[in-house]
Amino acid sequence: MQKPFYERIKDEVVEASASYESNYVLVDYLLVYGKDNNYSHIIIKAEKDNYLHLTGIMTNLNPTAFFDKCLSNTLVASDINVPAMKTEEKSYKGTLRRKINVLKDFTKGVDSSYVIQENFVKNRVVCSIASTNLNLTIGYIDTGNCLRPKSLISGDSLDGSKKQSIYLILKKNRTELLYSNLVVGDLSFLKEYSDQNPQFQALIDISYE
């Protein structure tokens, strides 16, 4: 027998939380992206309290408590609020399905399958940066010193004419000061970009030998 809808949703967000922690909460990303030889770099950091909004779930729990209950497998279906109106619940269920269907993919982390668009706007979603791997679109909000995930959308919602490729992805543990793990890209381009961008150079600890 199939589990009730909200029980299934609970199971999905609990299961995805461990991957979200290991690939986002415990690590930071430094990306270099661009188009037509114009390049920029960004830092992506995700916190525990970003997870709730990405799931689309409504709850009385605060965002950090919600994530902690997911991670400890103590979240229960009754923690998920259900709209009183049937018409509202139908829309709510649709939103949850779309987000949950791509949540696990998102929690795998940032990789070379993603492309980027600056100044992303779709309906009521407005983000400084958005990225897609064709299966999902993730919108980020600029906090001043990094980007944090804000909106998770199913499918590719970027404007094809505004897409920019990712050339470098560096990664570090949250407790480390500098990025020393080159995940995507080659050392020659990394050195070239670093030599031209002192602010970027101050963020990395890479040997070119």
Side-chain angles (χ1 to χ4, degrees):
M1 178 181 291
Q2 189 177 48
K3 289 184 178 181
F5 177 80
Y6 294 106
E7 190 70 31
R8 299 198 308 272
I9 293 296
K10 182 266 295 182
D11 289 347
E12 293 286 349
V13 298
V14 165
E15 183 178 350
S17 64
S19 180
Y20 178 80
E21 181 186 50
S22 61
N23 292 319
Y24 283 102
V25 177
L26 299 180
V27 300
D28 301 330
Y29 296 91
L30 175 60
L31 279 60
V32 174
Y33 69 95
K35 185 178 182 180
D36 301 328
N37 294 319
N38 293 314
Y39 306 107
S40 301
H41 63 270
I42 53 175
I43 292 173
I44 293 176
K45 289 187 176 184
E47 305 292 349
K48 290 181 178 183
D49 59 9
N50 295 123
Y51 189 68
L52 173 59
H53 188 68
L54 298 176
T55 68
I57 287 174
M58 297 187 296
T59 178
N60 293 331
L61 297 169
N62 70 56
T64 299
F66 174 83
F67 179 76
D68 286 340
K69 290 194 74 171
C70 287
L71 195 61
S72 63
N73 196 18
T74 56
L75 189 76
V76 293
S78 59
D79 287 324
I80 301 173
N81 291 350
V82 180
M85 300 289 291
K86 286 296 182 183
T87 53
E88 292 179 359
E89 185 181 10
K90 182 178 180 181
S91 175
Y92 178 49
K93 283 184 171 181
T95 297
L96 290 180
R97 287 191 187 97
R98 290 190 294 273
K99 289 181 178 291
I100 297 306
N101 282 343
V102 296
L103 181 65
K104 286 183 184 177
D105 191 7
F106 166 72
T107 62
K108 293 176 183 177
V110 183
D111 59 35
S112 59
S113 66
Y114 284 87
V115 294
I116 281 176
Q117 178 186 324
E118 297 175 336
N119 303 316
F120 174 76
V121 179
K122 181 178 180 181
N123 300 325
R124 293 179 295 175
V125 178
V126 180
C127 298
S128 303
I129 293 281
S131 187
T132 184
N133 64 0
L134 303 184
N135 184 45
L136 64 89
T137 298
I138 180 71
Y140 294 94
I141 186 170
D142 191 346
T143 67
N145 59 3
C146 69
L147 298 175
R148 294 180 64 177
K150 174 187 176 184
S151 300
L152 182 61
I153 305 169
S154 178
D156 176 5
S157 295
L158 302 195
D159 182 334
S161 66
K162 297 180 180 179
K163 288 180 178 178
Q164 303 186 54
S165 299
I166 295 176
Y167 291 89
L168 297 172
I169 299 178
L170 293 93
K171 187 176 175 182
K172 72 175 183 65
N173 292 330
R174 183 64 57 89
T175 56
E176 296 174 333
L177 292 177
L178 301 176
Y179 294 84
S180 59
N181 183 9
L182 179 61
V183 180
V184 171
D186 61 76
L187 286 174
S188 60
F189 179 76
L190 174 62
K191 186 176 188 308
E192 179 184 350
Y193 184 81
S194 179
D195 288 345
Q196 296 172 359
N197 295 272
Q199 288 183 328
F200 176 85
Q201 191 173 63
L203 296 171
I204 67 173
D205 181 19
I206 296 284
S207 172
Y208 300 107
E209 297 180 358

